[in-house]
Amino acid sequence: MQTNLINIDGVELWTEEFGHPSHPPVLLVMGSMSQGILWPDEFVGQLVAGGRRVIRYDHRDTGKSGTIDFDADPYTWHDIKDDVLRVMDAYGLESVHLVGHSAGGLISQLIAVERPERVRTLTVIGSSPLGGHEGEVIMRSLMGQPQPEGSLPPPLPEFVAYFTNAITSPPPAGRCEQIDELIAQARVLNGTALPFDEDAERQLAERVYERARDLSALVNHRRAAAADPGFEPEGVLHQVKAPTLVVEGTHEPAKPGHSAIIAERIPGAELLMIQDMGHMIAPQVCEPLAAAVLAHTEI
């Protein structure tokens, strides 16, 4: 394992590399406002044991990556998407097996459309279809507004209840409250089928808190999304050429049923439902998820 702090175009990104440099490269792209270490060590280790070179990284404004004065130097989700290419360039990789979770899956879909030569295979986990404007669906749910006909399926009631309360409550102040908030959020994203290990999640939340340069900076991802309404082009998923695996848990609370839509719109895509999995990559699903990614990236 080797960590690197890369700086391209003035963007400082913390990265971590595992496995032999000669092995097929797998680049892991985590979701919005999330650090790269939320790709579980167990999952990464199983990919490496299967003969893959694995790279994970912190998005800008998360973890050990650089923080940005958004008022002075605003950015958009297109910039966050281009950070994926910056990581690839820093490692001298012309193409990778691209694996994205949640909003990272959305980013990965767009890269597969725009830069097909850089994507060997595409794996999308717990995400929404590009052009589906999932953020608008969630906001209407939180505001108690009806969904227009043809919208994506809304999040489950427990997700809506938690985040409705979160956006109407004062932000957590201080270390203890912020860590408790991270744990509470993880409990919801875990879903209702798998046991939730609060002690393990507390250790992870403490790690997330301690390694962040500025935990409050992650809200800039929401500002970037608001500044970039054109991020999601519609009707383009048929252009994806990379062999695609789409993964969803049977107890997905945030984007239930979205993966089937992605798989339907990408030619030849395979849909995998993982029993009892929620939105987060819990320890219990690392083995089947890693096995699926290893099989998919043998192509």
Side-chain angles (χ1 to χ4, degrees), residues 134-193:
E134 169 257 349
E136 297 176 12
V137 173
I138 289 180
M139 284 308 301
R140 283 194 291 266
S141 295
L142 299 185
M143 300 299 292
Q145 300 173 350
Q147 303 289 347
E149 185 176 353
S151 294
L152 295 172
L156 298 186
E158 56 266 29
F159 179 97
V160 174
Y162 172 79
F163 284 96
T164 298
N165 180 69
I167 63 175
T168 57
S169 301
R175 181 181 188 277
C176 291
E177 285 191 18
Q178 291 188 52
I179 288 173
D180 286 345
E181 182 69 16
L182 291 172
I183 296 169
Q185 184 178 118
R187 187 185 299 276
V188 173
L189 297 180
N190 184 70
T192 57

Side-chain angles (χ1 to χ4, degrees), residues 119-258:
V119 183
R120 301 185 190 185
T121 65
L122 174 65
T123 302
V124 180
I125 305 167
S127 191
S128 297
L130 187 68
H133 304 289
E134 169 257 349
E136 297 176 12
V137 173
I138 289 180
M139 284 308 301
R140 283 194 291 266
S141 295
L142 299 185
M143 300 299 292
Q145 300 173 350
Q147 303 289 347
E149 185 176 353
S151 294
L152 295 172
L156 298 186
E158 56 266 29
F159 179 97
V160 174
Y162 172 79
F163 284 96
T164 298
N165 180 69
I167 63 175
T168 57
S169 301
R175 181 181 188 277
C176 291
E177 285 191 18
Q178 291 188 52
I179 288 173
D180 286 345
E181 182 69 16
L182 291 172
I183 296 169
Q185 184 178 118
R187 187 185 299 276
V188 173
L189 297 180
N190 184 70
T192 57
L194 294 174
F196 182 73
D197 189 337
E198 183 166 338
D199 290 338
E201 196 60 42
R202 181 169 297 278
Q203 292 179 13
L204 178 59
E206 289 173 347
R207 186 180 173 196
V208 166
Y209 181 89
E210 296 296 343
R211 69 191 299 278
R213 292 193 188 187
D214 179 2
L215 198 60
S216 67
L218 55 80
V219 74
N220 288 340
H221 283 200
R222 291 178 181 167
R223 300 178 70 186
D228 197 7
F231 174 71
E232 291 192 53
E234 299 179 11
V236 298
L237 282 180
H238 68 281
Q239 298 176 25
V240 174
K241 304 301 182 186
T244 301
L245 172 66
V246 190
V247 181
E248 183 176 310
T250 59
H251 286 69
E252 166 66 56
K255 310 161 196 283
H258 294 200

Side-chain angles (χ1 to χ4, degrees), residues 129 151-153 237 246 248 256-266 271:
S151 294
L152 295 172
L237 282 180
V246 190
E248 183 176 310
H258 294 200
S259 293
I261 299 171
I262 300 173
E264 180 182 286
R265 293 179 181 177
I266 296 179
L271 174 63

Side-chain angles (χ1 to χ4, degrees), residues 260-293:
I261 299 171
I262 300 173
E264 180 182 286
R265 293 179 181 177
I266 296 179
E270 176 188 356
L271 174 63
L272 172 65
M273 300 297 295
I274 294 186
Q275 185 64 36
D276 296 337
M277 179 179 174
H279 187 66
M280 59 187 279
I281 305 174
Q284 299 93 327
V285 305
C286 284
E287 183 174 350
L289 182 59
V293 172

